[in-house]
Amino acid sequence: MSSEQWWRNAVVYQIYPRSFADGNGDGMGDVPGMTARLPYLASLGVDAVWVSPWYPSPMNDGGYDVADYRGIDPMFGTFVDAIEFIAAAHKLGIRVLIDLVPNHCSSEHPWFQAALADPDAPERDLFWFRPGRGTNGDQPPTNWASMFGGPAWTRTTNPDGSPGDWYLHMFDVTQPDWNWDNPVVVDEFDDILRFWFDRGIDGFRIDVADSMAKDRSLPDATVAPGATEPHPRAPDAIWNQPGLEAIQRRWRKVADEYVDTPQGPRVFVAEAYLDPVDILVPYVSPGRLHTTFNFNALESAWLAESQRLVINTTYTAHRGVGAPTTWVLGNHDNVRVATRFGKAETGVDFASGREAEEPILLANRLRVLPTDSALGLRRARAAAMLELALPGGAYIYQGEELGLDEVEDLPEELLQDPTWERSGHKIRGRDGCRVPLPWSGDEPPFGFGPSGVPWLPQPERWAGSTAEKQVSDPNSTWTMYREALRLRKELPAFRGDFAWHESDGGDVLAFSRDDEVACVVNFGAEPVSLPDGEVLLTSTPLVDGLLPSDATAWIATW
Ligand code: NOJ
């Protein structure tokens, strides 16, 4: 593989290992299943994969509760399986990014266990243990709320059975936050990075990349008028603290140790839901991280003005620091795009001044709205072609290439997202976008594995959406993605300049790449004419030469 800056334009496919492909028939996806399906990804034409956590974990938060950062959970296979996966991907020209979870670990991590076992253990300072407030210390040290509901602190019990200190967990009670002020934590993560880089990993997606550094004075968060507790995003002490910069620069140096290896640069992509984009782009300024997801684009409503504004502000802000933009329509935390865009409210209307919303809360708000699935799929296809025509990199969440929709009616007793329990059954959480993929056949389990019942049930309606059916159908969503990826790779214009096209305006969003390819998206109700040129690809067939409503076309205008 060459050492050019591949990450600036890469199309990265997100694998959620539990739900991608089951190699051994236990109903859970695994690493051998992933390896077996690599040729499918190669024929789709992706440049890289990002694998969500595959580490040993009690799976209380789908593996984002890591008990051992250098291993593979037996549910997913062996360490050798992982090494074979990396080698097989590289052989097919696919780079491999994995997840780094640096804000918290699992309560089963040996260092947290040591900290719990002895209040005087040195491991205590690797986490945030604090005495409680109130006369008996029975009130949490701050008023902070956890992202999954309930307080962000849990009280411990001393070895002698008496009530002890509290520890901080911004997510589930089983996800204690690391104390990044302790150099042991800092060194440990340097070592984890090198461990995986040395085993051939091309990069890391950094989980909650805006939260590791904390204000040691731990001030209470402001409670909004009318609310009973602060919003989990309210504590300024937690989010986007100045200490992050030093961590990012340090990690960049570690990655840059590998720039001159035959494999080429190792990279980072930050997961940080920061709005507006001006406070996000310092993360990708020189000497810091390489890329960061553009979550405003993911959350934007299907409205021309909102999309135009987000593209403009995102592109301008990133260009200002010399970083590429990184587009994303979905992931394992958000309602699938084909469902979201089939609802009466399709996301955040940034043009009306609305601010970004917490994904879990946005999902929960939209979930109760009915879905027009045909409309949702049509728009999801148009959105994919819009995203893939924009400058920078793009991510595809597994199943988007099949046009999969959200499974909104999973039985309550099967829900696994910690949000469901911690919110007192008010917020169903994110399981609906994590249902195992349909590969083949006419009924569940749709070839997910050689046998076994998938860990979440697949809907019967996916019979027409299997990979097997779509790969051989010239009109399928899969074929549209493959064509888009092929054109993107073949035409140099897709690595060229971005400029708004003269036909841009109102309900028609239009831009050109290098004055050679125009991308036109029709958000309006009426069909619109297209610029002169050869039609390269459309998300929906043209009608009498016009681009219909909720459709995207790519035109060669050279
Ligand atoms: C973001 C991950 O994408 C999500 O799935 C997880 O629950 C939280 N971070 C906590 O690790």
Side-chain angles (χ1 to χ4, degrees):
M1 277 183 277
S2 76
S3 62
E4 57 167 319
Q5 295 191 318
W6 59 270
W7 45 274
R8 296 186 81 90
N9 296 294
V11 174
V12 185
Y13 185 97
Q14 181 190 353
I15 293 179
Y16 193 71
R18 215 172 170 181
S19 305
F20 184 65
D22 174 13
N24 64 2
D26 65 357
M28 295 279 183
D30 49 40
V31 180
M34 286 157 44
T35 307
R37 296 291 184 182
L38 278 169
Y40 165 86
L41 297 178
S43 60
L44 184 61
V46 303
D47 301 303
V49 291
W50 148 36
V51 183
S52 279
W54 55 6
Y55 311 108
S57 163
M59 298 287 159
N60 289 322
D61 182 22
Y64 284 91
D65 44 328
V66 181
D68 171 6
Y69 288 84
R70 296 176 185 79
I72 299 294
D73 194 283
M75 174 207 284
F76 295 139
T78 64
F79 194 77
V80 172
D81 292 335
I83 298 302
E84 283 174 3
F85 171 78
I86 298 165
H90 284 170
K91 218 170 174 179
L92 291 169
I94 298 175
R95 291 185 158 89
V96 179
L97 276 65
I98 58 173
D99 231 298
L100 184 73
V101 189
N103 178 67
H104 45 264
C105 58
S106 159
S107 50
E108 289 189 14
H109 191 287
W111 290 358
F112 188 73
Q113 285 295 317
L116 272 188
D118 176 4
D120 296 321
E123 285 84 356
R124 200 81 165 180
D125 189 52
L126 304 178
F127 302 93
W128 292 89
F129 283 88
R130 290 289 183 279
R133 297 195 286 200
T135 36
N136 303 317
D138 55 5
Q139 298 300 313
T142 71
N143 65 351
W144 303 346
S146 118
M147 294 296 287
F148 294 155
W153 297 89
T154 290
R155 195 165 196 187
T156 59
T157 304
N158 290 323
D160 67 2
S162 61
D165 287 345
W166 299 66
Y167 68 90
L168 175 67
H169 53 86
M170 283 309 293
F171 291 87
D172 189 51
V173 57
T174 61
Q175 292 169 294
D177 280 42
W178 289 110
N179 170 18
W180 274 84
D181 292 334
N182 188 309
V184 173
V185 172
V186 179
D187 289 346
E188 169 69 352
F189 275 87
D190 284 358
D191 197 70
I192 293 165
L193 294 180
R194 290 197 183 94
F195 177 88
W196 285 107
F197 285 148
D198 288 343
R199 277 150 192 86
I201 286 298
D202 296 280
F204 287 91
R205 174 263 193 191
I206 303 167
D207 190 61
V208 264
D210 52 340
S211 64
M212 287 92 76
K214 290 164 175 91
D215 171 355
R216 292 201 74 75
S217 68
L218 304 184
D220 268 344
T222 314
V223 181
T228 50
E229 60 175 32
H231 189 279
R233 278 266 165 191
D236 287 339
I238 292 285
W239 303 106
N240 197 26
Q241 285 288 300
L244 286 171
E245 179 173 354
I247 300 171
Q248 293 169 353
R249 289 192 182 279
R250 188 177 177 105
W251 287 354
R252 179 62 183 252
K253 283 202 184 106
V254 174
D256 283 352
E257 291 166 12
Y258 294 81
V259 165
D260 294 327
T261 58
Q263 199 178 318
R266 317 300 167 97
V267 299
F268 297 107
V269 55
E271 187 225 23
Y273 286 82
L274 289 176
D275 176 53
V277 68
D278 302 308
I279 59 170
L280 176 62
V281 288
Y283 286 35
V284 285
S285 56
R288 294 175 72 173
L289 305 176
H290 301 76
T291 56
T292 180
F293 293 116
N294 306 151
F295 286 122
N296 284 3
L298 183 154
E299 289 204 333
S300 171
W302 185 248
L303 295 168
E305 275 310 320
S306 180
Q307 297 275 347
R308 188 178 283 123
L309 179 78
V310 168
I311 292 168
N312 236 342
T313 50
T314 306
Y315 179 65
T316 311
H318 282 73
R319 205 175 39 164
V321 295
T325 45
T326 304
W327 308 101
V328 56
L329 292 172
N331 58 32
H332 62 291
D333 294 328
N334 286 278
V335 179
R336 280 194 178 274
V337 60
T339 295
R340 186 160 58 86
F341 284 168
K343 293 183 181 281
E345 190 187 339
T346 50
V348 178
D349 179 1
F350 288 97
S352 74
R354 289 262 308 278
E355 288 175 5
E357 220 171 315
E358 246 350 282
I360 293 184
L361 301 180
L362 176 66
N364 204 52
R365 204 159 55 70
L366 300 188
R367 203 185 66 77
V368 293
L369 305 174
T371 309
D372 175 340
S373 48
L375 180 67
L377 177 57
R378 183 186 173 99
R379 288 175 171 171
R381 289 171 58 119
M385 280 188 54
L386 163 60
E387 148 180 88
L388 292 169
L390 287 166
Y395 279 68
I396 300 172
Y397 174 48
Q398 64 178 37
E400 278 173 4
E401 81 284 12
L402 302 175
L404 293 189
D405 55 1
E406 182 88 359
V407 183
E408 294 186 292
D409 57 356
L410 288 170
E412 291 182 353
E413 64 277 12
L414 294 183
L415 295 181
Q416 310 228 352
D417 188 331
T419 307
W420 174 240
E421 289 302 329
R422 286 191 62 84
S423 69
H425 296 183
K426 288 201 194 78
I427 301 179
R428 282 173 66 95
R430 304 157 292 177
D431 294 305
C433 62
R434 300 175 177 178
V435 174
L437 291 193
W439 288 97
S440 58
D442 295 314
E443 53 191 42
F446 296 122
F448 177 60
S451 57
V453 180
W455 68 283
L456 287 173
Q458 302 150 308
E460 305 271 345
R461 65 172 181 274
W462 282 1
S465 307
T466 60
E468 184 184 44
K469 290 208 174 79
Q470 296 204 38
V471 165
S472 54
D473 174 359
N475 300 316
S476 69
T477 302
W478 190 89
T479 305
M480 183 201 79
Y481 264 91
R482 189 203 57 197
E483 280 305 289
L485 265 48
R486 182 182 65 77
L487 289 165
R488 206 182 132 95
K489 209 164 274 178
E490 280 176 8
L491 301 179
F494 282 109
R495 287 173 290 290
D497 285 346
F498 165 88
W500 292 106
H501 191 266
E502 57 193 28
S503 59
D504 183 69
D507 280 337
V508 176
L509 191 145
F511 55 87
S512 70
R513 302 297 309 277
D514 250 4
D515 282 336
E516 291 196 344
V517 173
C519 172
V520 182
V521 192
N522 182 7
F523 289 84
E526 299 303 323
V528 297
S529 58
L530 290 168
D532 289 341
E534 180 197 341
V535 177
L536 297 170
L537 188 65
T538 62
S539 64
T540 298
L542 301 183
V543 180
D544 298 331
L546 300 178
L547 183 66
S549 170
D550 295 315
T552 298
W554 291 359
I555 319 288
T557 52
W558 57 71

